[in-house]
Amino acid sequence: MQTNFKGKIMGDRHPFKEQLIEEIKSLRQEVTALKNEKAAFEVQRKLLENLVDTEGFSVETEVLKVSLQKTLDLATELTQAEKGSLFLLEPSGKIVDAILSRSEVTPKQTAKLIGTVLDKGLAGWVIRHRQVGLIADTEKDSRWLTLPDQPYTVRSALAVPILRGEKLLGIITLLHSQPDRFSLQIAEQMRLTADQMALVLENARLYSKLDKYSKALDAELETGRQIQIDFLPYEIYQPANWQIDARFYPARQVSGDFYDTFFLPSDNVGLVIADVCDKGVGAALFMALMRSLIRVFSSQAKLQGRTSTILEENQPVPGSWLGQSMLTNLSHLEALQAVSLTNNYVAQNHWQLSMFATLFFGVLDPVTGLLTYINGGHEPLFILGNSGIKNTLKATGPAVGMMPNVKFAIKQIQLEPGDILIGYTDGVTEGKNPDGELFTNKRLISLLEQPAASVSQLLDRIKTNLFDYIADAPQFDDITMLAVQRVF
Amino acid sequence: MTFNATLEIIDNIAQISLSGELDASTALIFQEKIGAAAAQDINTLILMMKELEYLSSAGLRMLIFTKQKMGPGVAIYVVSPQEMVMDTLEKTGFHHSVNVIDEYDAAKIASALS
């Protein structure tokens, strides 16, 4: 390029001289523009470098101040100014923060500046005109305002607005005690620098806003989590001769899964495992509703009429009542009314949300081991004996809350000494490994087929295997398990 | 596999073809299609599920939403669901609320409606 250029000068003595001068001019302009761009780029690089360094900072002032202080120092250095200041402004021109070059200002001085409105002098002019203010000599420029007790004599001044679109975010002022220290070229460089600063400033503000918002949200969710834990039993109810244990691992802070174990006034034990559709806050709200409705309805629902007629009309499927005592059968039947009552309540009052839960509700007589249950669209529960799975308690009706007035068939089964009843939510069988493959029923069943010393040991075995399988893949769904063993 | 839903409306019949995994993260895509279909004057909704590989509870929630949104005047057909999807529909009892069919035969559906 240079050779050609030289060659051209040597070859063209007269006719193209003017054209050459024009070319040189244009090249000079190009070089100047490139220099400006380079300087701005350098500032941007430093700014970004600095922001990356300070990414861990959470407080807005920290992120901004560290970043802006370094930028201002750099701008002061680039322009060879003696003093520099950077004011962050409100749209009214009121100072919200002040940064001075080389950190030479005391916090007390900064505090004094905050709240001041920049409406006078050069800064005031820049704010009003939204453009760069360059004063070659303060003694010849009316925009400069000399205050009586000013300790430092200023002759050259350059003030640059930091603009993001129409929004004025701040102003940079650079000063020198000698006149004619800032050229138009420097002023243009600083305008480009201010553009980059505006971008960084806005990003930092957005980052900070996001950070604050995310922390506030986290705190809210944590409160939600604590309240949700309160909707699980404080202590798992342990009737004599029985062992009951549960595990609960929500995918997020709050969950739609729940389990419950509680004592019924009829001397029976209520056993619930359920999974509200979807995840997160919505599911958690319905979890609280459904858990409470089941608890309340199960101890209050009473069927009117002759016991024998009621039992005749509400036979379990298939066949007849297993329980020897009519009163026990009736108390189980009455407690189980909670499922259809909850279903109708949710389907009639919250149908617009299309929320539902798959829910198993079992009523256990701890003396005889008689279990009467409804499985409302939930994963099958298993009864494990000495030689593995003895029975599978499949769905006896649809998921709860989907449609009003649907029938939930009831079933009865006898738990013998040593038998374990285990229920789980689909977070177990649909746990995904890093390749996206499901844990599957098959894996769960193979774990259930191995003998277990206790319900706790069985649950720990499943938990360990499942979490080993999921490994470092994200946990997609809530995981809940409930196990009940008749010890004697 | 990523979820995809395409809607086609011919006369009074809306057909939505589903593929991939319908779960909490993709449910809204499906909901939009249902909204678009419900805005038209239709009497039949065909849900092509042959390519649908997974239906989570959040996805099932969208099917219940569909049933409610369409109301009693729209017949809903679920066509060729895969085994795992069918398991979910059966386990939760939702298969009672729709017509599950192996193959979509427009003529048959039209005659069933008439």
Side-chain angles (χ1 to χ4, degrees):
Chain A
M1 183 93 179
Q2 207 175 11
T3 319
N4 287 343
F5 188 60
K6 264 186 184 170
K8 239 179 171 181
I9 294 172
M10 297 295 283
D12 299 325
R13 294 200 179 159
H14 304 293
F16 304 112
K17 199 174 167 186
E18 273 176 23
Q19 194 187 332
L20 273 175
I21 291 170
E22 278 309 306
E23 271 187 33
I24 288 168
K25 263 190 193 167
S26 121
L27 277 172
R28 270 192 186 145
Q29 276 169 2
E30 221 169 281
V31 168
T32 310
L34 283 172
K35 269 188 185 169
N36 285 346
E37 268 177 37
K38 191 179 169 239
F41 178 73
E42 178 66 7
V43 171
Q44 188 184 21
R45 193 181 63 81
K46 291 248 174 180
L47 273 170
L48 290 176
E49 218 171 57
N50 194 36
L51 258 196
V52 170
D53 284 348
T54 54
E55 204 187 2
F57 286 72
S58 55
V59 183
E60 183 178 21
T61 46
E62 273 179 291
V63 179
L64 281 180
K65 273 193 171 172
V66 175
S67 175
L68 294 176
Q69 180 72 60
K70 286 197 182 175
T71 316
L72 177 67
D73 287 347
L74 190 75
T76 313
E77 193 183 306
L78 276 174
T79 55
Q80 295 179 328
E82 288 173 343
K83 282 181 186 294
S85 59
L86 196 160
F87 295 128
L88 299 182
L89 303 172
E90 272 183 7
S92 63
K94 194 195 264 183
I95 298 173
V96 287
D97 208 349
I99 297 161
L100 284 93
S101 64
R102 298 183 186 97
S103 315
E104 60 195 9
V105 75
T106 62
K108 209 174 159 188
Q109 284 169 294
T110 311
K112 205 177 156 190
L113 283 165
I114 292 170
T116 314
V117 178
L118 290 179
D119 53 359
K120 296 188 181 69
L122 180 63
W125 184 89
V126 168
I127 289 165
R128 281 193 301 280
H129 292 82
R130 304 273 158 118
Q131 53 179 273
V132 178
L134 173 61
I135 296 181
D137 189 349
T138 55
E139 286 181 5
K140 296 171 191 160
D141 198 310
S142 61
R143 289 176 298 178
W144 189 254
L145 196 71
T146 309
L147 297 171
D149 54 349
Q150 207 147 10
Y152 172 75
T153 310
V154 177
R155 290 293 296 275
S156 299
L158 174 62
V160 187
I162 303 173
L163 294 164
R164 186 89 188 113
E166 289 297 304
K167 228 164 48 182
L168 179 73
L169 305 175
I171 183 167
I172 311 169
T173 311
L174 298 158
L175 307 173
H176 202 282
S177 55
Q178 299 300 315
D180 298 317
R181 297 308 290 238
F182 304 125
S183 64
L184 280 171
Q185 191 191 329
I186 283 176
E188 179 57 13
Q189 266 182 22
M190 286 317 297
R191 191 187 63 75
L192 292 172
T193 303
D195 278 354
Q196 306 298 342
M197 288 177 96
L199 200 65
V200 169
L201 209 58
E202 193 173 70
N203 282 345
R205 277 184 179 166
L206 286 175
Y207 171 78
S208 169
K209 217 171 165 181
L210 201 68
D211 193 47
K212 276 183 195 160
Y213 180 68
S214 128
K215 285 212 168 95
L217 201 64
D218 260 358
E220 282 299 313
L221 283 173
E222 184 52 30
T223 311
R225 195 179 77 85
Q226 292 301 335
I227 291 173
Q228 173 159 55
I229 288 171
D230 204 62
F231 279 93
L232 298 174
Y234 292 131
E235 276 179 9
I236 294 175
Y237 182 65
Q238 304 287 355
N241 301 330
W242 292 81
Q243 271 186 358
I244 306 180
D245 204 355
R247 297 287 184 274
F248 176 69
Y249 309 103
R252 300 179 189 166
Q253 277 155 301
V254 288
S255 138
D257 276 13
F258 70 98
Y259 65 90
D260 206 359
T261 61
F262 54 95
F263 177 78
L264 284 158
S266 54
D267 288 341
N268 291 298
V269 182
L271 300 166
V272 183
I273 183 157
D275 180 355
V276 177
C277 66
D278 219 332
K279 291 187 278 279
V281 175
L285 287 168
F286 270 83
M287 167 268 179
L289 173 71
M290 290 200 172
R291 178 266 193 193
S292 304
L293 289 178
I294 291 286
R295 267 211 183 197
V296 172
F297 286 144
S298 64
S299 58
Q300 290 186 350
K302 293 279 171 233
L303 296 168
Q304 302 295 323
R306 278 170 62 115
T307 305
S308 56
T309 313
I310 295 168
L311 292 177
E312 187 60 34
E313 285 171 354
N314 295 279
Q315 294 261 354
V317 287
S320 54
W321 290 96
L322 285 184
Q324 300 295 312
S325 153
M326 283 213 325
L327 282 180
T328 304
N329 288 334
L330 180 68
S331 63
H332 284 205
L333 177 66
E334 284 181 332
L336 288 173
Q337 297 308 302
V339 177
S340 47
L341 290 169
T342 302
N343 175 72
N344 290 349
Y345 180 91
V346 173
Q348 281 159 2
N349 293 287
H350 301 289
W351 62 273
Q352 281 181 314
L353 294 172
S354 318
M355 291 295 273
F356 65 91
T358 65
L359 180 142
F360 172 92
F361 180 28
V363 183
L364 175 71
D365 176 0
V367 178
T368 61
L370 178 72
L371 177 78
T372 313
Y373 68 92
I374 286 174
N375 183 343
H378 195 74
E379 297 292 319
L381 282 81
F382 298 107
I383 294 175
L384 316 175
N386 290 335
S387 50
I389 296 172
K390 277 170 75 174
N391 301 95
T392 304
L393 314 189
K394 287 186 181 166
T396 62
V400 178
M402 257 179 3
M403 293 153 281
N405 307 315
V406 287
K407 178 100 181 123
F408 293 93
I410 59 166
K411 284 198 173 190
Q412 277 194 320
I413 198 153
Q414 184 68 39
L415 290 172
E416 303 297 342
D419 283 356
I420 293 178
L421 167 74
I422 178 159
Y424 59 93
T425 57
D426 59 5
V428 174
T429 47
E430 291 174 11
K432 280 183 182 173
N433 71 5
D435 293 330
E437 293 157 348
L438 304 177
F439 189 71
T440 68
N441 279 320
K442 211 174 139 194
R443 277 197 183 79
L444 175 66
I445 287 168
S446 78
L447 294 170
L448 297 177
E449 295 286 2
Q450 301 160 30
S454 67
V455 282
S456 311
Q457 196 216 31
L458 178 65
L459 295 181
D460 285 338
R461 177 197 298 162
I462 301 167
K463 180 217 157 179
T464 308
N465 276 274
L466 175 61
F467 281 98
D468 282 353
Y469 184 82
I470 293 173
D472 55 357
Q475 184 191 327
F476 279 106
D477 206 354
D478 308 321
I479 293 168
T480 305
M481 295 182 278
L482 175 71
V484 180
Q485 183 172 33
R486 182 174 180 186
V487 184
F488 298 109
Chain B
M1 198 186 133
T2 51
F3 177 74
N4 196 31
T6 50
L7 168 68
E8 229 182 315
I9 298 174
I10 300 166
D11 298 328
N12 300 114
I13 301 176
Q15 179 179 312
I16 301 177
S17 302
L18 308 168
S19 62
E21 300 186 352
L22 179 55
D23 57 19
S25 65
T26 55
L28 283 180
I29 304 172
F30 181 53
Q31 192 176 17
E32 273 174 30
K33 299 288 176 195
I34 293 300
Q40 305 295 316
D41 182 22
I42 59 163
N43 56 27
T44 308
L45 174 68
I46 316 285
L47 299 171
M48 304 296 279
M49 291 205 182
K50 200 175 176 180
E51 305 296 323
L52 187 70
E53 289 166 358
Y54 176 73
L55 176 71
S56 81
S57 65
L60 182 59
R61 187 183 162 212
M62 276 306 129
L63 292 183
I64 297 166
F65 166 82
T66 305
K67 174 85 185 153
Q68 284 160 351
K69 183 97 181 162
M70 294 300 166
V74 178
I76 301 175
Y77 291 85
V78 168
V79 184
S80 325
Q82 291 184 17
E83 198 185 332
M84 203 178 160
V85 172
M86 191 58 206
D87 277 353
T88 306
L89 297 180
E90 278 178 344
K91 197 172 60 193
T92 53
F94 186 72
H95 64 303
H96 293 308
S97 305
V98 290
N99 305 290
V100 182
I101 51 177
D102 292 338
E103 259 178 76
Y104 168 48
D105 183 337
K108 223 186 236 178
I109 289 170
S111 70
L113 286 170
S114 62

